[in-house]
Amino acid sequence: MTTVAGLVPYLGGALAVGGVAVAASRRRELMVRWCVWALGVPLVTAAFWLGPPGIAVLASLVGVIAVAEYGGLLRLGPLDRAVLGAAVVGLVLAAWLTPGEVLRVAAAGALVIAGVPLLSGDAEHGLRRLGAGLLGRVWLGALAGLVPLGALGLVLFVAVSIADIVAYAAGRRLGGPRLSPLSPAKRWSGTLAGAAAGLLTLAALSSLTWQTAVAVAVGGPLGDLLESMVKRGARAKDAGNWLAGSGGLLDRIDSLLVALAVLLVLG
């Protein structure tokens, strides 16, 4: 399997090629997105280079931001968001410091999340808060899987990102049947093309197994549809508006989260 050091030339080359292509397109939206990637990719790579401590810090930071965006979409109050954020960060830290206690920490976090609406006696919105909290716990808690995966987690991120980009471009060009009513812009043609690109990326990075293949080809698109379902329920276009050209952070990691969960279940 490719190491973090082995990934650096590929990531640098991809950014360089992407920069040339974006400059040739002269499209401002693409230029803004490329600038975000040019800043973010080195930071993410550096965190993985540091090993479990760096990955845990990165996953915790991403988890806190994702919880804030998710809580905003589902109109969770400050206490619900704080408890969910603590549960996600606690699971990440457990995966780093006490991996043998991950299941216990996960169960404890779920109980605390459930206890907030129960103890507040919220008969009107308690069920919605409970469901939203537990969904967030499972979905965003998948970030803890980055710690034990190490470099493979970075490979998965790269493969899912490339699959997303190819799926978007191919779907618009090829057209065809829609993938799901949850996301009318997505087409089966794009999803299949994206899956093929993701698998080729895994193969190029010496990380292609049946587990990683299923995670990228199946988990990635499901993660995108899951966020689409949440955003449609919230009547929102994006999870946030602070990430230039990309909406929110959750919009960028939605596919990765379910891909991680699938890989952990299979792996």
Side-chain angles (χ1 to χ4, degrees), residues 197-219:
L199 298 186
L200 287 174
T201 302
L202 290 173
L205 299 178
S206 304
S207 300
L208 180 60
T209 64
W210 73 268
Q211 293 97 331
T212 56
V214 173
V216 171
V218 178

Side-chain angles (χ1 to χ4, degrees), residues 79-231:
L79 180 58
D80 295 273
R81 297 190 203 189
V83 171
L84 177 57
V88 170
V89 172
L91 188 60
V92 172
L93 295 179
W96 170 32
L97 300 172
T98 57
E101 301 295 326
V102 166
L103 290 179
R104 186 170 296 173
V105 172
L111 289 174
V112 174
I113 289 171
V116 172
L118 291 175
L119 295 177
S120 67
D122 187 356
E124 183 176 0
H125 300 291
L127 183 59
R128 177 185 62 81
R129 292 168 60 192
L130 174 61
L134 293 179
L135 172 60
R137 180 70 181 79
V138 174
W139 188 24
L140 305 181
L143 286 166
L146 289 173
V147 178
L149 288 177
L152 182 57
L154 184 56
V155 170
L156 195 68
F157 172 68
V158 172
V160 167
S161 298
I162 290 176
D164 280 346
I165 294 170
V166 172
Y168 173 76
R172 293 188 64 181
R173 180 171 293 274
L174 299 176
R178 292 176 176 176
L179 178 63
S180 168
L182 292 172
S183 188
K186 293 180 174 59
R187 310 285 176 170
W188 273 106
S189 58
T191 300
L192 294 175
L199 298 186
L200 287 174
T201 302
L202 290 173
L205 299 178
S206 304
S207 300
L208 180 60
T209 64
W210 73 268
Q211 293 97 331
T212 56
V214 173
V216 171
V218 178
L222 287 179
D224 191 75
L225 289 179
L226 175 57
E227 198 207 8
S228 294
M229 181 178 70
V230 172
K231 290 191 295 187

